[in-house]
Amino acid sequence: MEFEFDIHKIFLEPITKLDSTLLPQRRPLVSSSEAEKQIMKVLDDIGKASAKAQRLPAPITSASRMQTNQHHLYILKDCTPKTAGRGLVIGFLKVGYKKLFVLDRKGSHIEAEPLCILDFYIHESLQRHGFGKELFGFMLRIEQVEPQHLAIDRPSEKFLSFLWKHYNLRAVIPQVNNFVIFEGFFRDRKAPGRKLPPKRAEGEIKPYSLSERDFLRHEEGLPWPFSQGQSSLNRAGSLGSSPTRPRVIPREDEFVKSLRTCRPHSLQRAANGEQEDSSQRRRTREERLQTLVRVMTPFVICLLFLCSFTSFPAPPSPFLHPFLLAPPSRSLLSLLLCLSVI
Ligand SMILES: CC(=O)SCCNC(=O)CCNC(=O)[C@H](O)C(C)(C)COP(=O)(O)OP(=O)(O)OC[C@H]1O[C@@H](n2cnc3c(N)ncnc32)[C@H](O)[C@@H]1OP(=O)(O)O
């Protein structure tokens, strides 16, 4: 991948590691604002190229996604003298730690936070020249991780072939999420996974751990690998002798069960709407009642007074309040009326 500016001035090493700051360890030879602009352009372009190579509907690597995530990205540049003065990017590898629920061979859910391979791309014209291996090996050294301890975010056929060839990783442990792990994943780990209690309800386990490719799911329909049609099987576009890789068999029944435990959004919204409507109606009824009581109270009091002093005879009981024994004066009555109206 060529750029209009000199790659050698921003990436001083053959392989440069970037994190969310987008600043290489060795300071670029251009101003920091210029370096940032150029690095962002490189990240956006290589992200697009990788998405195109993997037939993804949108890039999963970009400058903005790097800035907002704790990922590490390794960029390999072409160091041959013919690229002096401009520079060429050969490919990149993006990794990051993710909390995952993984299934072991016995089908137990284990909570782990492995280093995950999130995106990997070598330019088409330079594939099968050993650059992928160089980049991958560099990353393993820097991150101090064994290849069998990695989790791979939805690997392509080419990548599975790569892992088999260079690292002898072939025995896949089936998972219900997008990630692929290999035999040896649970052995000799520095931070062993935490086994969940065996009786944990299935609904409590996240069926799909957060994947870089998750945000593309709505554009792809069903999540991988159920969405794998003929076209994506062809996506490896193998050029030659690579053996056919074992396909990852998903636990479909578990996936379907987990889908059933989720309430569809539209129903959820409708249920919430009904609840809001009924509480609104209840509030309106109460308010009306209060207004009615406020308006009617003075009239009722007046009516009571008038009735007790005009049409009815004085109560015979001497124990009643003296006020009720004699008819009130007109002025007192009008005073009471005014007070009750107020
Ligand atoms: C989590 C993810 O990122 S999944 C996405 C992975 N990326 C892609 O699929 C994008 C397209 N592919 C590529 O960019 C590259 O082929 C990579 C990154 C997978 C490998 O990089 P390369 O530089 O080609 O690897 P390298 O030269 O070190 O190793 C070659 C081996 O990789 C595998 N490989 C590379 N290209 C192909 C291919 N076109 N078809 C089948 N296997 C391939 C093979 O095992 C090959 O060995 P072989 O030639 O003896 O069969």
Side-chain angles (χ1 to χ4, degrees), residues 11 14-16 18 42-43 46 73-77 89 91-92:
F11 302 136
I15 298 178
T16 301
L18 293 174
V42 170
L43 293 181
I46 58 176
L73 189 140
Y74 296 86
I75 293 192
L76 173 65
K77 68 171 187 179
V89 169
F92 75 97

Side-chain angles (χ1 to χ4, degrees), residues 53-54 117-122 126-134 152-159 161-162 165-166 213 236-239 241-242:
Q54 297 175 60
I117 305 293
L118 305 172
D119 204 359
F120 189 19
Y121 172 69
I122 296 291
L126 298 166
Q127 285 173 16
R128 288 184 147 166
H129 283 67
F131 291 119
K133 172 86 189 325
E134 186 183 341
I152 321 283
D153 186 359
R154 204 191 296 186
S156 64
E157 299 285 328
K158 286 183 189 181
F159 191 21
S161 169
F162 170 93
K165 180 189 163 102
H166 295 302
R213 287 140 221 257
S238 178
L239 298 172
S241 59
S242 294

